[in-house]
Amino acid sequence: MKTLYLKPTEKDIKTAARIIKRGGIVAFPTETVYGLGGDATDAGSAAKIYAAKGRPSDNPLIIHLSKAEDAEKYAITNDIYYKLTDAFCPGPLTVILPKKDIIPPEVTGGLDTVAVRIPSHPVARAFIKACGVAIAAPSANRSGSPSPTGAEHVKADLDGKIDAIIDGGPCEIGLESTIVKLSGGCAVILRPGAVTEEMLSAVVAVRRDRSLYVKPDENTRPEAPGMKYRHYAPDVPVTLLKGPHSDVIGFMKNRLAEDESTGVICLESDKDAIRGKNVRYLPNDAKGQANALFSLLRGFGETDAKRVYSVMPSRTGLGLAVCNRLTKAAGFSVEYVGVTIPVLGLTGQSGAGKSTVAAILKERGAYVADCDEIYHGMLYKNSPMVTELQKYFPFAVADGVLDRPALAEAVFSDKDKLALLNSVTHKVILDEVRARLKKAQEQGYKFAVVDASQLFESGYDAECTAVIGVCAEQETRINRMILRDGISRQKALSRISGQHNEDFFRVYCDEIIENGKDEEQLREAVARAISKYIKE
Ligand code: TXA
Ligand code: MG
């Protein structure tokens, strides 16, 4: 078959729509990645899509619409669907709904649900409108390889196998849409994307599906069937490196010294530290990483690299989607460097009872690094930390002594000031944490716990084996703060308002420990939470 190359003009979009109406398949740009579209009501078009991609036919397609209400024709909608589409559509969000009969089972891999998405890309929208029918489209790549973020990627994978490609230039986001299913009034994230958990949780309750971190085996059937296949993988095997960033870079340098063709994915900020013919740099920010990742992974196919080592960026916001794709590209292959004993991050709101949980973990044999304690130990008169703080918060230092209440007062109600304080202190604290963990490992500790209220903000979560969040009811937390810190109820409330709410922790932590009043129950919850990561 000769593939037709089309431009995003009105005339060419009409041509593309005619191809769809005749049962053909056309690749088109969206804001996330390129899709390979066919008539969603036609089983024959679906068969052509599967054949062109080399995709297993039990892996369902997403149907693309030009407006949220159009879903009525193809699926059974509900209030949450409209809440979500009002907030985020058109845009990079896909919602799973029960399907109507007009969608043939060939499109949904035999499932009785259908994935619905309303893309925002003007060319995608014009194309869907011109077709006058829902467009079933997976990403327009060879099955298993990274999704195409430019028409040249589609050409490389599918030239001669599909009827046409509409070239709309590079995709703005670069990672596929967020996929949610709706369950018990909750949006359950099956695939993270540019509509982040934080954004979703402003509208509905949110949960993460376990398939996001756990390698599927024969016994687990992932909710999104596509997530069980090796994915996004370049032609070269990828290994993720976890550990202190400097150790990760050191490990990469050693590999490069042994074999100069070693592939490396690190950050732009590492440019001075590490160089090599197959070293590639991701931008430091998650948005830039999302945009660059797939193209960068594809690029390794054209090098002589036999293995690629990659850093693991921070998982907050869009970073979660970046890390998810990297983890899939690596087929869950992770190597720990530097500190190799399991490290559990421990975080949560003030007064939730982190210290109690840390004490229980200590009894169970953990080395505990308490970031609060480390910080306070660095605040002696004229210490390097106090001198540094004086530059940014002059009002809080007199005669080389830090006025901690004044500093606390200033930051607890001001998010910008808190962020500044954090950026000044995190680096110093974390270097101390890393040094202590290395020592603990040498001393024979079997695992370590890093107790940090600012775990995610500091980026340290990326170095943890897993992150445990401690949650407790607000009234319990307030009472604990009043007793522990000797503050008024009013002050406790204002501190709470300056912190992340509980949803944040439920969304970002791997495990949640509910800290009620019963100590026996708490011990059991702790044992349960760590059982997956610590072999005792
Ligand atoms: O951004 C995107 O979503 C892109 C553009 C083209 O819209 N599309 C895309 O499609 O990434 P695809 O086919 O590569 O990925 C669709 C994912 C697969 O993992 C599939 O298993 C899941 O969605 N999926 C589709 N229908 C489903 C359903 N009814 N239930 C659960 N998962 C479903
Ligand atoms: Mg895909």
Side-chain angles (χ1 to χ4, degrees):
M1 172 190 306
K2 189 167 157 43
T3 300
L4 196 60
Y5 285 85
L6 300 172
K7 294 199 177 59
T9 59
E10 211 177 307
K11 177 170 158 279
D12 276 11
I13 287 171
K14 269 193 190 139
T15 307
R18 268 200 305 277
I19 296 173
I20 295 290
K21 283 176 196 156
R22 287 202 310 261
I25 54 175
V26 176
F28 63 100
T30 83
E31 70 279 19
T32 57
V33 301
Y34 273 72
L36 175 58
D39 179 341
T41 62
D42 173 34
S45 299
K48 285 185 191 167
I49 290 172
Y50 286 112
K53 272 181 70 87
R55 174 166 173 147
S57 60
D58 69 343
N59 188 359
L61 310 177
I62 295 176
I63 69 165
H64 296 68
L65 309 171
S66 55
K67 54 184 197 297
E69 297 75 45
D70 290 351
E72 297 297 342
K73 199 170 155 193
Y74 307 100
I76 300 165
T77 64
N78 56 37
D79 285 355
I80 303 184
Y81 168 78
Y82 282 110
K83 256 193 193 166
L84 288 170
T85 51
D86 278 353
F88 304 113
C89 295
L93 178 70
T94 297
V95 184
I96 313 281
L97 295 171
K99 81 171 190 72
K100 288 188 174 166
D101 287 343
I102 184 169
I103 300 291
E106 285 80 0
V107 168
T108 63
L111 296 177
D112 50 16
T113 52
V114 63
V116 173
R117 159 155 146 73
I118 300 111
S120 63
H121 194 295
V123 176
R125 297 174 67 72
F127 169 58
I128 298 163
K129 259 199 194 136
C131 293
V133 67
I135 295 299
S139 49
N141 52 290
R142 202 161 27 84
S143 185
S145 69
S147 296
T149 55
E152 68 281 12
H153 300 154
V154 184
K155 182 172 185 215
D157 277 11
L158 300 175
D159 186 46
K161 296 189 171 122
I162 61 178
D163 295 291
I165 300 175
I166 309 174
D167 185 345
C171 299
E172 191 194 328
I173 295 171
L175 293 183
E176 310 86 342
S177 60
T178 306
I179 303 182
V180 297
K181 71 166 183 177
L182 309 178
S183 162
C186 225
V188 183
I189 300 185
L190 304 181
R191 181 175 74 183
V195 174
T196 63
E197 290 167 310
E198 277 168 317
M199 291 159 71
L200 287 167
S201 63
V203 179
V204 290
V206 183
R207 270 197 304 118
R208 275 194 275 185
D209 190 67
R210 283 206 55 71
S211 65
L212 262 53
Y213 345 82
V214 181
K215 184 178 184 165
D217 55 33
E218 302 83 69
N219 305 322
T220 49
R221 187 180 174 285
E223 294 275 356
M227 300 314 260
K228 79 182 170 205
Y229 299 106
R230 182 156 179 265
H231 243 98
Y232 318 119
D235 301 328
V236 193
V238 179
T239 298
L240 290 175
L241 299 178
K242 261 194 174 185
H245 194 69
S246 54
D247 288 335
V248 166
I249 297 299
F251 179 99
M252 290 168 161
K253 279 178 151 169
N254 286 341
R255 288 293 173 279
L256 277 167
E258 285 164 16
D259 176 358
E260 61 160 11
S261 74
T262 304
V264 163
I265 302 175
C266 53
L267 300 179
E268 237 146 47
S269 49
D270 300 320
K271 253 187 181 146
D272 291 336
I274 188 162
R275 290 183 177 275
K277 63 174 179 172
N278 296 334
V279 177
R280 304 286 178 270
Y281 305 92
L282 279 175
N284 291 323
D285 65 299
K287 205 170 165 194
Q289 289 164 3
N291 191 268
L293 182 66
F294 284 149
S295 184
L296 191 148
L297 284 174
R298 272 179 183 266
F300 282 108
E302 283 137 40
T303 69
D304 59 347
K306 288 180 275 305
R307 167 150 312 265
V308 176
Y309 291 100
S310 174
V311 296
M312 182 80 159
S314 168
R315 288 186 301 183
T316 42
L318 182 54
L320 184 71
V322 174
C323 290
N324 168 267
R325 304 311 192 276
L326 262 172
T327 307
K328 304 264 168 186
F332 289 86
S333 146
V334 178
E335 211 166 298
Y336 289 85
V337 294
V339 176
T340 52
I341 52 172
V343 177
L344 301 177
L346 184 65
T347 190
Q349 291 168 289
S350 287
K354 277 190 303 117
S355 316
T356 316
V357 173
I360 295 174
L361 288 164
K362 210 172 200 165
E363 280 172 28
R364 300 188 76 105
Y367 172 79
V368 177
D370 178 340
C371 291
D372 244 15
E373 181 212 300
I374 291 174
Y375 173 54
H376 292 148
M378 291 175 158
L379 298 181
Y380 53 89
K381 191 171 176 180
N382 288 320
S383 74
M385 180 77 102
V386 170
T387 311
E388 188 66 11
L389 285 173
Q390 188 169 16
K391 287 189 203 155
Y392 303 93
F393 306 96
F395 59 87
V397 179
D399 296 331
V401 178
L402 181 71
D403 181 352
R404 274 177 42 207
L407 187 60
E409 179 69 42
V411 301
F412 266 118
S413 52
D414 184 333
K415 281 195 169 148
D416 291 342
K417 283 213 178 96
L418 181 62
L420 177 62
L421 173 64
N422 287 339
S423 72
V424 175
T425 56
H426 283 161
K427 200 184 135 16
V428 190
I429 297 172
L430 290 182
D431 280 344
E432 174 65 19
V433 167
R434 290 172 186 126
R436 289 192 185 191
L437 260 46
K438 261 194 176 156
K439 211 179 262 167
Q441 176 170 308
E442 282 156 21
Q443 288 168 349
Y445 280 92
K446 292 285 172 280
F447 73 110
V449 170
V450 176
D451 176 346
S453 52
Q454 302 291 311
L455 190 84
F456 291 106
E457 290 81 350
S458 72
Y460 192 75
D461 63 298
E463 293 176 35
C464 296
T465 316
V467 177
I468 295 177
V470 186
C471 287
E473 277 175 10
Q474 171 146 323
E475 219 27 59
T476 314
R477 283 185 280 119
I478 291 173
N479 289 332
R480 283 194 192 128
M481 285 162 83
I482 293 173
L483 274 175
R484 184 190 63 191
D485 306 336
I487 56 173
S488 68
R489 186 183 170 82
Q490 202 50 45
K491 191 151 246 165
L493 277 170
S494 95
R495 277 193 196 177
I496 284 176
S497 71
Q499 301 176 341
H500 289 299
N501 63 18
E502 199 171 297
D503 286 344
F504 175 88
F505 294 102
R506 289 192 187 281
V507 156
Y508 283 115
C509 295
D510 299 295
E511 304 291 332
I512 289 287
I513 293 176
E514 306 283 351
N515 187 6
K517 290 192 182 71
D518 187 300
E519 201 181 315
E520 212 33 56
Q521 280 176 1
L522 180 60
R523 283 175 186 282
E524 280 165 25
V526 171
R528 233 185 352 260
I530 67 169
S531 62
K532 255 179 262 146
Y533 315 101
I534 314 296
K535 301 281 167 271
E536 284 173 295

